[in-house]
Amino acid sequence: MENNDNLKSLRGKLLITGTIKLETGMHIGASNDFAPIGSVDTPFIRDVVTQEPIIPGSSIKGKLRTLLAKSHCNDYIMNDIKEDKEEIKRLFGSVNPVKPARLQFYDLFITDETRQLFANIETDTYMGEIKFENTINRVDGSANPRQIERVPAGTVFTFKVAYNIENEAEVTEDMKILQEGLALLGIDYLGGHGSRGYGRVNISIDDVKPVGNSAINTQDLLDILRK
């Protein structure tokens, strides 16, 4: 028998937009299997056409879900993803049972202002900086140097996520959960090496726009997301 969750009607959509500004350098890794000699050891991910830094929507979605799952976990050990609470599953999706995600995240691209800023700044790589680090062997004290490419602090990305309105009675609760995830991310980090200060971000939600026939008060939702 087909799961009724797959047959829910769409009451409309909300388009949530804003910005994410890097407070410290960020590294979301890309493959360097075919890197030429002399290139950086661990490059960050770039848009294949423009070669500008991007934040994949999957990185935002995965980080928010993980933070919320940890925050709502009742045990000391992190639960399996299929044991996430229902309010998390309905926002981010589930395969057991099958639940389509109400949130659809966009890839994040840099703003025009950031593009103009970098046009006047000389950087180590195109729109990137090189961070030199050492891993020290505790036994013999030997160093293992490495180069990590980071997106520089001050870079601003556009943030965009669409939300499917399936049950108008749950929209406010869903927005409160999304706001909780964004607040947790604001004191956590994006990408790798966060324990060393990488990937600290400032998140700003600017607008909630309704699309479709819903009569929901989006100003109330915007107020929730801006808390």
Side-chain angles (χ1 to χ4, degrees):
M1 183 174 181
E2 189 170 7
N3 190 325
N4 287 333
D5 282 336
N6 292 328
L7 305 176
K8 287 183 177 178
S9 62
L10 184 64
R11 307 293 299 169
K13 282 179 174 282
L14 299 175
L15 183 61
I16 303 164
T17 55
T19 58
I20 292 183
K21 180 179 181 179
L22 300 188
E23 301 293 341
T24 62
M26 180 193 68
H27 177 83
I28 297 178
S31 172
N32 61 347
D33 291 342
F34 303 102
I37 294 174
S39 65
V40 65
D41 296 328
T42 53
F44 60 67
I45 191 166
R46 297 174 179 272
D47 179 81
V48 8
V49 175
T50 66
Q51 291 301 298
E52 296 171 350
I54 64 170
I55 300 176
S58 57
S59 295
I60 295 286
K61 179 182 179 181
K63 186 68 177 187
L64 288 176
R65 181 168 192 158
T66 299
L67 288 171
L68 285 167
K70 287 181 177 180
S71 179
H72 288 257
C73 184
N74 296 323
D75 300 317
Y76 290 108
I77 300 176
M78 180 70 170
N79 57 264
D80 188 272
I81 192 170
K82 66 178 178 290
E83 297 172 355
D84 282 351
K85 291 190 174 182
E86 289 305 310
E87 56 265 31
I88 296 177
K89 287 182 178 180
R90 75 188 186 210
L91 280 181
F92 296 93
S94 169
V95 294
N96 185 23
V98 174
K99 288 181 180 291
R102 290 182 180 178
L103 293 175
Q104 294 101 45
F105 291 85
Y106 288 63
D107 286 346
L108 279 65
F109 300 93
I110 62 172
T111 62
D112 289 337
E113 291 76 13
T114 293
R115 193 172 291 109
Q116 293 170 8
L117 174 66
F118 278 114
N120 299 314
I121 296 176
E122 184 175 345
T123 53
D124 299 321
T125 60
Y126 181 57
M127 294 190 180
E129 63 180 9
I130 303 299
K131 181 77 161 50
F132 290 84
E133 294 191 351
N134 276 320
T135 300
I136 306 298
N137 187 301
R138 287 185 174 182
V139 177
D140 60 19
S142 61
N144 180 26
R146 58 184 176 182
Q147 301 174 334
I148 299 177
E149 186 183 31
R150 306 196 310 178
V151 184
T155 302
V156 181
F157 293 86
T158 57
F159 174 78
K160 188 183 295 186
V161 58
Y163 169 82
N164 285 347
I165 304 173
E166 297 175 353
N167 184 338
E168 292 186 348
E170 295 175 342
V171 173
T172 297
E173 182 184 11
D174 285 349
M175 291 301 105
K176 288 180 179 178
I177 296 170
L178 176 58
Q179 186 278 331
E180 179 186 352
L182 294 173
L184 289 169
L185 178 55
I187 56 174
D188 205 86
Y189 60 90
L190 265 177
H193 315 293
S195 64
R196 297 199 294 276
Y198 287 39
R200 305 295 173 178
V201 299
N202 184 285
I203 305 167
S204 176
I205 301 300
D206 299 328
D207 191 28
V208 178
K209 179 182 178 181
V211 180
N213 60 358
S214 175
I216 288 176
N217 187 331
T218 55
Q219 183 58 51
D220 290 345
L221 303 180
L222 182 58
D223 291 341
I224 291 172
L225 291 170
R226 283 178 167 175
K227 287 183 178 178

